[in-house]
Amino acid sequence: MVAHRMIEANGVRLHIAEQGTGPLVVLLHGFPESWHSWRRQFDPLAAAGFRVVAPDQRGYGRSDRPEAVDAYTILHLVGDVVALIQALGEEKAYVVGHDWGAPVAWHTALLRPDMVLGVAGLSVPPPFRGKQPPLAAARERFGGRFYWNYFDRPGAADAEFAEDTRTTLRKIFYWASGDAPLTGEDRQPLVDPERGWLTTMADPEAMPEWFTEDDLDVLVEGFSSGFTGALNWYRNLDRNWELTAPWHHAVVTPPALYVYGERDLVPAFPGTPELIAALPDLMPNLRGAPVELPGCGHWTQQERPDEVNAALIDFLTA
């Protein structure tokens, strides 16, 4: 059974879900999610001999939500993971992340390789710091319509998403899934700043089988206090670029695994397909080629739990 408790780490209280005994595996969720996005990984990983812990990261669910925007930098987020591992009585762990959780996992391995036995990222590939700040680059390329820039506007997405939390989450999860029929321009994360983002998304009559109404209930409860904490992660993209200057051109050295969906919009971001193709040459300890899941959308471990679990267990036990 999955157990729940609160734990003090890096000056914040984090809600964690945990199961199993053995080497520690920390599972880091993305946006707009929670620990619950790993619900189908607990039993298989615990049965394979691992201690599985999935926190609500800061700004999410039952965990603390600091008010200051700059309390959500990548250094704070990595600090949370490092402190969590230590608070759990461990010196090292495997770290696995999806969506925003992937950059946190990758940067934990980059900044604290001494504590990372292995790292796996789902959807978002390993970080290679660009030549200019991300928000500025996106603004220049897409005229300010990229969703990062919309999220960066104080209060805008916060208000739009909180107006009807259930509809917001239902639309976003369906839109970014491999089950959505939309293709091409319709699936690009571009936003009309006057109309908002949700107006362009279909509201499905029924969700895919892998995402039930009960799953949606858990997510809605997690965002009952709003979306600002989660959106603050995006508002630090340029600040993160500045803070990580000392690691420019540095590579992740612990053993690594990368898994992504064929229909995920993130691996299709400008320049990302080329990065994914080059990963085996760029990362000395990438174990095998990047794993592409046919027909899978953005919600990798939820849409394709069996394939993801098999890939993770093979990686962790190797």
Side-chain angles (χ1 to χ4, degrees), residues 132-145:
Q132 65 182 130
L135 290 172
R139 191 177 303 110
E140 181 179 309
R141 185 179 186 98
F142 297 105
R145 295 185 60 213

Side-chain angles (χ1 to χ4, degrees), residues 149-172:
N149 300 115
Y150 177 60
F151 286 3
D152 189 46
R153 294 173 53 194
D158 316 52
E160 182 188 12
F161 292 171
E163 186 173 344
D164 185 337
T165 302
R166 192 175 192 86
T167 298
T168 294
L169 295 169
R170 184 172 59 243
K171 282 188 170 187
I172 291 176

Side-chain angles (χ1 to χ4, degrees), residues 98-100 103 122-125 146-148 175-176 187-189 234 258 260-273 276 297-298:
H98 166 256
D99 183 75
W100 249 114
L122 312 182
S123 177
V124 181
F146 200 59
Y147 78 109
W148 292 353
W175 169 79
R187 286 184 62 81
Q188 294 302 308
Y234 291 89
Y258 175 56
Y260 68 102
E262 175 199 17
R263 297 194 63 208
D264 187 350
L265 60 127
V266 173
F269 284 177
T272 306
I276 293 172
H298 180 61

Side-chain angles (χ1 to χ4, degrees), residues 48-110:
F50 295 95
R51 180 187 183 187
V52 186
V53 173
D56 284 337
Q57 297 200 74
R58 67 167 63 198
Y60 285 86
R62 291 180 241 170
S63 294
D64 283 351
R65 304 169 183 234
E67 290 187 13
V69 173
D70 61 3
Y72 296 85
T73 72
I74 194 66
L75 298 186
H76 288 87
L77 304 175
V78 169
D80 291 350
V81 177
V82 168
L84 175 61
I85 293 170
Q86 294 170 341
L88 292 169
E90 304 288 349
E91 296 180 356
K92 299 176 183 287
Y94 297 96
V95 186
V96 181
H98 166 256
D99 183 75
W100 249 114
V104 179
W106 294 125
H107 278 90
T108 302
L110 182 67

Side-chain angles (χ1 to χ4, degrees), residues 20-35:
T21 58
L24 176 62
V25 180
V26 178
L27 304 177
L28 303 170
H29 66 80
F31 175 89
E33 301 176 272
S34 70
W35 74 269

Side-chain angles (χ1 to χ4, degrees), residues 232-254:
N232 281 342
W233 289 44
Y234 291 89
R235 292 163 182 156
N236 281 282
L237 282 168
D238 283 359
R239 187 175 284 111
N240 292 342
W241 184 83
E242 295 173 358
L243 292 171
T244 55
W247 293 273
H248 194 65
H249 291 318
V251 298
V252 172
T253 55

Side-chain angles (χ1 to χ4, degrees), residues 142 146-147 171-191 197 200-202 210 261-269 295-299 303:
F142 297 105
F146 200 59
Y147 78 109
K171 282 188 170 187
I172 291 176
F173 266 76
Y174 181 70
W175 169 79
S177 75
D179 296 83
L182 305 178
T183 58
E185 177 69 19
D186 291 329
R187 286 184 62 81
Q188 294 302 308
L190 301 181
V191 182
W197 200 17
T200 63
M201 296 182 187
W210 52 267
E262 175 199 17
R263 297 194 63 208
D264 187 350
L265 60 127
V266 173
F269 284 177
C296 181
H298 180 61
W299 316 107
E303 295 186 50

Side-chain angles (χ1 to χ4, degrees), residues 2 6 9 41 54 154 232 293:
V2 176
M6 302 297 293
Q41 280 66 56
N232 281 342
L293 302 178

